[in-house]
Amino acid sequence: MAPRTLPAAPQPLLPLGDLLQRVRQCTLCAPVLPLGPRPVLQAGTGARILIASQAPGRKVHASGVPFDDASGERLRDWLQLPREVFYDPERVAIVPMGFCYPGKGASGDAPPRPECAPTWRAPLLALLPHITLTVAVGQYAIGWHLPASRGRPLAETVRASGAPGSPVIALPHPSPRNNGWLKHNPWFEAEWLPGVRQRVAAALAQDTSEIDL
């Protein structure tokens, strides 16, 4: 079978609302999605924080709400973000590597569909001009936003991303499947997360001018 040719990525000329509407109508991966397409994301032009995640799970697919599951509860606790802030698109943008539930894989959910990010990611991020801090959640988002980290141990990447002034913070995926990693890396919650919470709060407290985090 000949490889599929991806459509050219839309140029960031549309208003964000119009581009989001086009994303939510996307059916590019429909033939291979077990539950069909349902892109899940949120974004507003005023957002200060970008949460770059992996792909919706089955529960999120059903509700259409990003991180509407146990992983979301843990992530909000990690970042100390109440729901009303987390789900405010003018403060927090949530743009996964894949927008639709990809189905089950050999261990947990399958990876995000590869068609999604090259088609939509650059145009969307171009319309989020006030992002001052990106939180990359899980290996696929970390690999995209911190390409030099590919192949390195997760703990090493997470620690390095906490350096002062780093625009990207790496987090392990908050899925219960990572409880073993958390148990073997107690420094993450005890020592590292307090600094992350401070940076998240600082980013949200700023106006749209550039800041030095």
Side-chain angles (χ1 to χ4, degrees), residues 18-38:
D18 292 344
L19 182 57
L20 287 172
Q21 183 176 8
R22 292 183 63 178
V23 171
R24 291 177 175 127
Q25 294 172 344
C26 179
T27 59
L28 178 62
C29 304
V32 293
L33 294 173
L35 300 182
R38 188 178 191 184

Side-chain angles (χ1 to χ4, degrees), residues 113-140:
R113 290 297 311 171
E115 298 90 344
C116 201
T119 304
W120 296 113
R121 196 165 183 79
L124 282 166
L125 298 187
L127 294 175
L128 301 176
H130 303 305
I131 297 296
T132 58
L133 184 64
T134 295
V135 180
V137 181
Q139 64 171 316
Y140 298 101

Side-chain angles (χ1 to χ4, degrees), residues 2-172:
R4 297 181 64 192
T5 300
L6 299 182
Q11 297 301 309
L13 302 177
L14 295 173
L16 179 59
D18 292 344
L19 182 57
L20 287 172
Q21 183 176 8
R22 292 183 63 178
V23 171
R24 291 177 175 127
Q25 294 172 344
C26 179
T27 59
L28 178 62
C29 304
V32 293
L33 294 173
L35 300 182
R38 188 178 191 184
V40 179
L41 72 163
Q42 76 174 36
T45 55
R48 310 311 199 257
I49 292 176
L50 169 66
I51 295 179
S53 51
Q54 184 160 296
R58 183 181 289 268
K59 184 175 180 181
V60 170
H61 174 89
S63 70
V65 178
F67 282 105
D68 184 27
D69 53 15
S71 295
E73 290 295 330
R74 175 176 273 174
L75 179 62
R76 286 186 286 275
D77 178 66
W78 282 353
L79 303 179
Q80 292 291 282
L81 287 178
R83 291 181 68 92
E84 63 269 19
V85 175
F86 188 84
Y87 288 119
D88 181 350
E90 292 301 324
R91 288 189 275 185
V92 177
I94 304 173
V95 183
M97 298 307 299
F99 299 145
C100 297
Y101 171 61
K104 286 294 183 183
S107 176
D109 289 343
R113 290 297 311 171
E115 298 90 344
C116 201
T119 304
W120 296 113
R121 196 165 183 79
L124 282 166
L125 298 187
L127 294 175
L128 301 176
H130 303 305
I131 297 296
T132 58
L133 184 64
T134 295
V135 180
V137 181
Q139 64 171 316
Y140 298 101
I142 292 171
W144 176 280
H145 288 278
L146 295 170
S149 71
R150 293 171 185 166
R152 295 180 181 174
L154 177 60
E156 177 184 324
T157 298
V158 170
R159 283 185 182 274
S161 73
S166 172
V168 180
I169 290 175
L171 294 182

